[in-house]
Amino acid sequence: MVNIKELVDRYQSISYMVNRRINALMRDQLQEEVTLDQFSVIRYIDSQGASTSTELSEVLCVGKSSITALVTRLVDKGLLIRKEDEHDRRVILLALTEKGVEICRAIEERIAQLLSTYINHFEPEEVLNFINTYEKLAQLLDNERRSHSE
């Protein structure tokens, strides 16, 4: 019989250790260009084309005041611009500058090289199973977040 408490304890323990270590390794790849939180913002905006502060706050699970501070720093660094939405001038969109795109791509490449050194220790099927399971967990968490915000 599966002991749920034991599984939860194992998950919490390993999740904490892996996340802390991966985040530390990723911070090393940032080379003082941006912080890990700033990279999360530019990576998300890069994937979406543009975003609002409210959307960033929800997706990254960060307060709106924290997002405002992150965005201001990224604008000051010349990595982001604020622009009016073409369809609703009341909405301010955040988009990457060319410099922001270049830095995002360079950091993503360094992180991909770093993570591939670990992924290569597993069989392709193990990696796919892990990613599929992790995506399923992410979907469950996102569905719960959406249901609470409605």
Side-chain angles (χ1 to χ4, degrees):
M1 185 81 186
V2 175
N3 182 333
I4 296 296
K5 175 158 180 13
E6 184 179 309
L7 293 175
V8 168
D9 288 346
R10 285 177 60 193
Y11 171 79
Q12 286 179 325
S13 176
I14 200 67
S15 175
Y16 178 78
M17 191 277 294
V18 168
N19 285 331
R20 300 268 309 168
R21 186 67 188 129
I22 292 288
N23 285 343
L25 291 169
M26 287 174 58
R27 272 192 301 275
D28 292 344
Q29 299 304 310
L30 300 178
Q31 300 178 351
E32 299 182 24
E33 293 163 308
V34 292
T35 66
L36 194 52
D37 287 339
Q38 290 171 349
F39 176 65
S40 295
V41 168
I42 65 174
R43 186 164 189 267
Y44 181 78
I45 292 173
D46 184 53
S47 73
Q48 301 301 306
S51 180
T52 64
S53 291
T54 300
E55 181 181 354
L56 286 171
S57 175
E58 291 171 3
V59 169
L60 301 176
C61 300
V62 177
K64 290 180 183 179
S65 61
S66 296
I67 288 295
T68 299
L70 285 168
V71 165
T72 298
R73 285 188 208 100
L74 290 168
V75 168
D76 291 347
K77 290 181 178 188
L79 305 180
L80 279 186
I81 57 168
R82 293 180 177 101
K83 62 182 185 177
E84 290 181 352
D85 186 316
E86 295 175 4
H87 305 290
D88 186 347
R89 296 178 64 194
R90 297 170 297 172
V91 175
I92 301 299
L93 294 174
L94 305 166
L96 293 179
T97 63
E98 279 187 42
K99 181 180 175 184
V101 171
E102 289 171 14
I103 285 179
C104 185
R105 297 290 189 286
I107 293 170
E108 283 180 330
E109 179 61 30
R110 292 192 305 261
I111 289 173
Q113 288 175 358
L114 167 75
L115 294 180
S116 69
T117 64
Y118 297 100
I119 290 172
N120 287 332
H121 289 278
F122 299 91
E123 295 297 323
E125 186 176 321
E126 290 177 297
V127 175
L128 287 174
N129 286 337
F130 173 77
I131 291 172
N132 288 336
T133 301
Y134 217 59
E135 286 174 340
K136 186 174 180 179
L137 177 59
Q139 187 63 52
L140 289 169
L141 293 168
D142 193 49
N143 290 343
E144 182 178 345
R145 179 189 58 83
R146 290 173 195 246
S147 71
H148 286 323
S149 66
E150 293 175 351

